[in-house]
Amino acid sequence: MSWNCITHCSRWRVSCIAGRLFQRTYTQGQEVNRERQYFYYIDHQGMLFLDDARIKNFTSCFKEKRFLKFFLRAVKMNTSGDLANSWPYVSACGEEMNYIRCDDLPVVFQSIITSSRTGDEVLSWGDSKGLLTVPFDPSAVAVCEKSGRVYHPAPYRQGGVGLIKSSLAIQLSANFLFEDDNSLQPSGMSWNHQTYQLSHNVLELLNDRPALGRYAELENE
């Protein structure tokens, strides 16, 4: 069996990805209680796909900047009932509702750039060129000991915490400072000739994130 095999059967789709079974019982554009519904997926690189896209890579992700900015700025926690168990986030568009699941979190920081407006360093998400940004605070960088993933505060609407893309996290890790060689979590970070103590406080917000939006392909219980 391949690591990414997808079988279609009318409205019932079964996807076996990395050994995990994800059951799909929706149709893109279905109308429920006068609400037209669409279903999306955000991967750990921050790329956005239609959830039922057979192949998920750079060629099949959404790239149109105006759409991405509108869609991602509207993302929030899904508190609408049963669908929240499988689709932890939503992005509304008029009478349409876009339901979202993630490999980890909907905000994925892809690069550190200099703001043309303030001259300060900012983290870019949505794309790597400043489509959406938050101020970069080196002292707020946090490393999860369990997963090894790196996080940073994100906009409140999107949950307050975002994942740092793996390639950027590797670059940042070269500046991590450890109290001892056995520690998996850095105690500090050197950045722009300054040393910052890391509190890892933002990790507390991960406990509030939906379990099905964390690290792995969705599994219906």
Side-chain angles (χ1 to χ4, degrees), residues 176-221:
F176 287 162
L177 305 173
F178 297 86
E179 291 185 350
D180 60 74
D181 294 337
N182 297 321
S183 178
L184 298 177
Q185 195 174 60
S187 59
M189 179 176 170
S190 176
W191 191 257
N192 290 340
H193 309 294
Q194 296 187 54
T195 299
Y196 298 86
Q197 292 298 117
L198 303 183
S199 66
H200 305 281
N201 288 338
V202 75
L203 295 180
E204 296 175 5
L205 295 176
L206 296 181
N207 296 327
D208 298 329
R209 302 284 71 78
L212 295 179
R214 311 280 305 133
Y215 306 145
E217 288 294 326
L218 184 66
E219 286 185 298
N220 284 351
E221 297 291 332

Side-chain angles (χ1 to χ4, degrees), residues 8-167:
H8 294 275
C9 181
S10 184
R11 294 184 61 188
W12 186 267
R13 300 183 180 96
V14 177
S15 171
C16 182
I17 302 175
R20 291 186 168 228
L21 197 64
F22 173 48
Q23 299 174 336
R24 297 190 176 99
T25 57
Y26 64 81
T27 297
Q28 293 285 8
Q30 68 188 24
E31 189 169 329
V32 179
N33 297 327
R34 298 183 179 180
E35 176 185 82
R36 192 164 296 279
Q37 300 174 341
Y38 294 90
F39 300 85
Y40 291 82
Y41 175 74
I42 298 175
D43 74 359
H44 66 285
Q45 304 293 337
M47 292 189 289
L48 175 69
F49 306 89
L50 282 172
D51 183 71
D52 55 354
R54 182 163 186 171
I55 297 174
K56 292 182 174 68
N57 56 32
F58 182 75
T59 62
S60 60
C61 71
F62 287 91
K63 305 177 187 67
E64 208 285 315
K65 293 184 181 297
R66 286 179 297 178
F67 169 76
L68 286 171
K69 188 171 186 177
F70 176 85
F71 184 99
L72 294 172
R73 286 181 67 177
V75 170
K76 64 179 182 178
M77 298 284 290
N78 182 5
T79 58
S80 61
D82 292 340
L83 280 177
N85 294 326
S86 299
W87 305 93
Y89 304 93
V90 294
S91 177
C93 178
E95 295 182 356
E96 297 177 357
M97 183 62 74
N98 302 306
Y99 291 87
I100 307 162
R101 66 187 184 97
C102 312
D103 175 68
D104 193 334
L105 295 169
V107 175
V108 180
F109 299 114
Q110 298 176 333
S111 64
I112 299 174
I113 61 175
T114 301
S115 170
S116 59
R117 184 173 59 86
T118 66
D120 296 328
E121 288 183 318
V122 295
L123 280 166
S124 176
W125 62 287
D127 72 358
S128 61
K129 299 179 181 178
L131 184 70
L132 296 163
T133 63
V134 299
F136 176 52
D137 179 0
S139 68
V141 171
V143 179
C144 177
E145 288 186 280
K146 181 179 179 180
S147 68
R149 292 190 170 186
V150 184
Y151 299 88
H152 184 278
Y156 175 80
R157 179 185 178 90
Q158 285 77 23
V161 57
L163 173 70
I164 293 180
K165 182 179 176 180
S166 57
S167 58

